[in-house]
Amino acid sequence: MRKKMVCGNWKMNGDRASIAYLLGQLLSFSAIPSSAECVILPPSIYLPLVQQFLINSTFAWGAQNVYPEDSGAFTGELSAPMLQDYLCRYVLVGHSERRQLFGEDEKFIADKFYHVKKHAMIPILCIGETMEEREQGLTMEVLTKQLLPIKETGDRPFANCVVAYEPIWAIGTGKTASPELAQEVHHSIRRWISAECNQEDAQVLTILYGGSVTNENANALFAMPDIDGGLVGGASLNAERFVDIVKCIK
Ligand code: PGA
């Protein structure tokens, strides 16, 4: 069966006090449906704090980034074994902010993807097109270019991973993709993986939608057959709103 999931990507927000408050609030909303995996992705420096709060809860957590080497002279970076020390289960890979602001290319993203899996964590691979590319009818071409290097990383690259479709024009803009538009793309992604990689893996692959998900639009998005949950940025910084989004998973 496909795992339903909602992930909160806190990006570079919060401080020790506000994050402790947010975690306490999340824990006080006990009615998280057990049918959904609920994942917190904090700024990495707060992973010990997140672990301390969430260790005996149903929440999972993970990192927003990783460097694809186990150790060495990589000033400022964090390795997969370091993330495992804090029991991270998931790692974001290929987020559009990393692609655009930090120049991460397809090869580097594929290296990270491979590395996360090698260390028995689950990569959440983000893919998505710009508005310009969408208007030119290039959406699937762009997504295929982002998926192809991942295909080369192993025999069954899409086993034990999560894909997040995040149209760049919808991230942090308040412009959500309509449920129908998102469903169409999710279906195409699943079909591509089924045809190019492995049919079974495509069937059980969790494909999240991301880009201005709120407690107001989550219900309609998550009702679509190929949308298995959400990757939530802004709205995940408010515990009540985030839990309301999680409750939209049926
Ligand atoms: P948003 O961010 O929900 O604030 O649009 C989503 C993301 O970047 O993962």
Side-chain angles (χ1 to χ4, degrees), residues 9 38 94 128 161 182 195 218 247:
N9 175 11
C38 197
C161 86
K247 286 181 187 161

Side-chain angles (χ1 to χ4, degrees), residues 157-171:
F158 293 97
N160 302 318
C161 86
V162 173
V163 170
Y165 169 56
E166 296 208 303
I168 294 168
W169 47 271
I171 296 178

Side-chain angles (χ1 to χ4, degrees), residues 37-228:
E37 173 103 311
C38 197
V39 183
I40 300 299
L41 304 163
S44 290
I45 196 167
Y46 298 117
L47 280 168
L49 190 65
V50 167
Q51 180 187 8
Q52 193 187 317
F53 270 83
L54 301 184
I55 188 78
N56 290 318
S57 76
T58 53
F59 287 89
W61 57 92
Q64 297 173 17
N65 193 22
V66 68
Y67 193 79
E69 293 286 344
D70 286 356
S71 63
F74 303 103
T75 301
E77 294 297 316
L78 296 175
S79 72
M82 290 172 186
L83 300 179
Q84 280 176 313
D85 266 348
Y86 294 96
L87 306 182
C88 287
R89 194 180 299 163
Y90 295 91
V91 184
L92 276 186
V93 172
H95 191 282
S96 65
E97 285 152 19
R98 302 248 20 125
R99 293 175 191 264
Q100 292 191 321
L101 302 174
F102 302 97
E104 293 192 6
D105 63 16
E106 301 303 345
K107 163 139 192 352
F108 192 48
I109 291 165
D111 282 351
K112 288 186 182 195
F113 182 94
Y114 174 80
H115 194 73
V116 169
K117 286 184 81 169
K118 192 179 98 183
H119 284 279
M121 292 185 288
I122 301 174
I124 303 172
L125 173 74
C126 304
I127 56 175
E129 82 288 2
T130 63
M131 185 47 99
E132 209 178 12
E133 289 161 343
R134 164 156 290 275
E135 282 171 353
Q136 289 169 12
L138 298 175
T139 299
M140 214 39 219
E141 198 175 308
V142 170
L143 299 184
T144 305
K145 262 194 210 138
Q146 295 170 343
L147 290 168
L148 263 175
I150 301 297
K151 181 185 167 186
E152 309 304 325
T153 60
D155 263 0
R156 292 176 57 187
F158 293 97
N160 302 318
C161 86
V162 173
V163 170
Y165 169 56
E166 296 208 303
I168 294 168
W169 47 271
I171 296 178
T173 58
K175 281 190 216 149
T176 325
S178 69
E180 294 73 23
L181 183 151
Q183 163 60 24
E184 193 185 315
V185 177
H186 282 226
H187 184 70
S188 303
I189 293 169
R190 205 180 295 285
R191 203 176 40 205
W192 187 89
I193 292 171
S194 181
E196 296 286 328
C197 303
N198 183 294
Q199 198 179 352
E200 228 173 278
D201 294 343
Q203 269 321 307
V204 298
L205 176 66
T206 298
I207 307 183
L208 307 177
Y209 168 79
S212 299
V213 174
T214 65
N215 43 345
E216 272 141 39
N217 57 33
N219 236 335
L221 283 162
F222 299 173
M224 291 289 149
D226 284 294
I227 301 183
D228 306 309

